[in-house]
Each structure stands twice: as structure tokens, then as C-alpha cells.
Amino acid sequence: MATSKYDSFFSRSMEYIAIAQAFFENHLPKRICLLAKLNTLVRIDRTGTSEKLEKRHRDIAYEAQMKELGQLLIQTEQQSQPDRMIPVRFLKYAADGLEPYMQERKVLPLIVQLLLYNGENTPYPYQNTLQAYYGNPELGSEELALRFHLIDLTQISDQELLRGGHSAPMTLLLKHARDGSFELGVDAYKDVFEACIAIVGDQYLFTMLNYALTLNNVKAGEEIFHFLEEVLTTKKDAIMNYGQQL
């Protein structure tokens, strides 16, 4: 069995604008979401991912216009292991993201950073602000302040994730990667999954199936595969053919 590809699945999913827009609508800070024109989203990082999830992705960056306030730069990353160094890593990402604007003498964008967590260690155990690690947080924050917004899937119910629109299939499959045990009856998921596939296309169905088969927990992967068969009844033949080819 191949190494689990959580980050590649996340990266591939976020290549679909409909999924990215839904994800940001649900997880950006509300005040910023109201100011952002998410219909102008453009992915600006340079590493792509194939449908077979062959590339590991470092971080994902999107640019969008804001209502009379310039540009928004959204940097996001997926983590399946807690990492105390995340604030430092995001600091490096922020510097990399701002450098082109400085070189081109442009007005700097507002940077928002998101961490999507689906780890076994729950809840996420570390701080999401850099200043929390200073000996004197108050003075430290005056000189260098940074935070990321934590999206801890282990602490969000399936019912709430289902409200995420086209991003719901992605977050639900990441959440249940270790147990394959969904909290609600199959019927609760059908409309959301079918609507997502209708928008982004069958290629995303095959990405989800391939993701299930990369899970280190073989039993969980099989449960997710069968879950997709039951949820996407209109695609049952395509799913069966995919399984037979494997």
C-alpha cells in the first residue's frame, strides 16, 4: 500500500475553483470573507498535482480581490501530524508570498493563513500564534505578530462539515481517513457528494477513490470506497469498473 497522500488529496481538491471557493467561504474569518470577492480567486502557487496524486505539495496559495481594499493572499496547508514549528513555517511562507509584491513595488496584500488538521492526536495540541511562544508575549507581539487560523477536522461534526457545500466531500474524507466511520446515515451525504461531482466532474470521483486506496489503514480505505459506492449511486458502474481495473 502506498504512503497516505492527505496533502496531495487536499492539493488536488483545491485545484477545483468550486471546491476552493466553498472551502474559503466556510473557513475564512467572517469579517474577511465579507470583504473578499471569492469569485475572483486565482491559484498562484506553482506546483500542481496529477489525478493520481503523484506530487507532494508544500503549501497552497490563492489570490483574490477585496472590496475597495486591494488584494487578499490566502495561504493554506494540510497537516496530519501536530507540528510546533507551524508558526515558523507560515512565517517563511508569508515572506515568500510578499517578496514578489515588494520586488514589483506593489501594495502588499492582506495575508490570511489557514491550517487544515486531520491528525490522530486530537485536539490539535499547539498554539496558532507566534507571539504565544515569546517569553514576553505582549512585547513580542509588538515586534513580530503572526497567527494562522486552525481548522481542526477532528473537532467538527459531520453535520457541520456537510454545510461546507462543494468542499464537504474533501473535508469529510480527510476527517475519516483513519476510521472510515461516518457519523450519519448514508442518505445525509448523497446530495452534497452528488452536487460536488456534478460541478467538478467525474475526474474528482476517481481522485477520491484513488485517495481511499492510498490510506495506510486498509480497512478504513475499504470502508470509504464502499461509502462512495453507496453515496454516489448514479456513479456505481464507474466505481465498479474502477475497482475491477485495480
Side-chain angles (χ1 to χ4, degrees):
M1 183 64 66
T3 302
S4 295
K5 299 181 179 179
Y6 304 121
D7 54 350
S8 294
F9 175 61
F10 179 56
S11 175
R12 177 64 181 174
S13 299
M14 294 290 282
E15 288 175 13
Y16 298 98
I17 291 294
I19 293 177
Q21 285 179 339
F23 181 76
F24 294 138
E25 283 172 1
N26 283 274
H27 298 295
L28 280 174
K30 295 302 180 186
R31 181 182 177 188
I32 293 173
C33 195
L34 289 172
L35 295 173
K37 298 179 180 179
L38 293 181
N39 61 338
T40 67
L41 274 177
V42 177
R43 188 163 171 173
I44 61 172
D45 52 280
R46 294 292 179 259
T47 303
T49 308
S50 73
E51 288 181 15
K52 292 186 177 296
L53 311 179
E54 290 173 342
K55 286 188 178 179
R56 180 179 176 86
H57 199 81
R58 187 193 67 171
D59 74 319
I60 296 169
Y62 266 97
E63 190 177 70
Q65 299 297 317
M66 297 185 73
K67 297 173 183 177
E68 301 178 3
L69 293 172
Q71 292 175 305
L72 172 66
L73 179 60
I74 310 170
Q75 297 176 320
T76 184
E77 182 170 325
Q78 182 276 330
Q79 277 286 123
S80 58
Q81 297 289 336
D83 188 349
R84 192 172 185 268
M85 294 297 293
I86 287 292
V88 175
R89 189 187 306 172
F90 270 130
L91 181 63
K92 293 176 181 177
Y93 292 169
D96 290 342
L98 292 176
E99 186 174 352
Y101 295 90
M102 292 294 289
Q103 290 176 339
E104 297 172 21
R105 298 178 182 274
K106 293 181 178 179
V107 175
L108 293 182
L110 174 66
I111 293 184
V112 179
Q113 297 178 314
L114 306 174
L115 179 67
L116 182 67
Y117 176 70
N118 69 324
E120 190 171 2
N121 189 342
T122 177
Y124 187 78
Y126 298 123
Q127 300 292 331
N128 70 326
T129 65
L130 193 62
Q131 52 267 43
Y133 294 96
Y134 285 107
N136 189 319
E138 184 177 353
L139 286 177
S141 63
E142 290 178 5
E143 300 300 326
L144 182 62
L146 179 76
R147 70 171 175 179
F148 60 86
H149 299 274
L150 176 65
I151 306 157
D152 189 345
L153 296 178
T154 69
Q155 302 298 298
I156 306 175
S157 69
D158 283 15
Q159 186 69 56
E160 186 173 347
L161 290 177
L162 280 169
R163 300 189 191 108
H166 299 317
S167 68
M170 173 187 71
T171 53
L172 285 162
L173 295 189
L174 285 168
K175 175 183 175 180
H176 293 294
R178 290 181 177 81
D179 56 33
S181 179
F182 296 83
E183 297 169 1
L184 307 171
V186 171
D187 288 345
Y189 302 88
K190 285 186 176 181
D191 289 347
V192 171
F193 274 74
E194 288 179 352
C196 176
I197 295 300
I199 289 294
V200 302
D202 284 356
Q203 66 270 28
Y204 189 55
L205 167 61
F206 300 127
T207 294
M208 290 192 289
L209 295 172
N210 191 67
Y211 161 74
L213 295 172
T214 69
L215 297 176
N216 289 335
N217 186 327
V218 177
K219 186 175 184 298
E222 291 174 349
E223 292 288 343
I224 290 174
F225 197 98
H226 293 314
F227 168 80
L228 292 171
E229 283 184 309
E230 294 178 348
V231 168
L232 295 165
T233 53
T234 59
K235 303 294 182 181
K236 204 157 192 174
D237 288 344
I239 296 173
M240 288 179 65
N241 289 336
Y242 184 85
Q244 288 171 356
Q245 290 173 13
L246 292 174

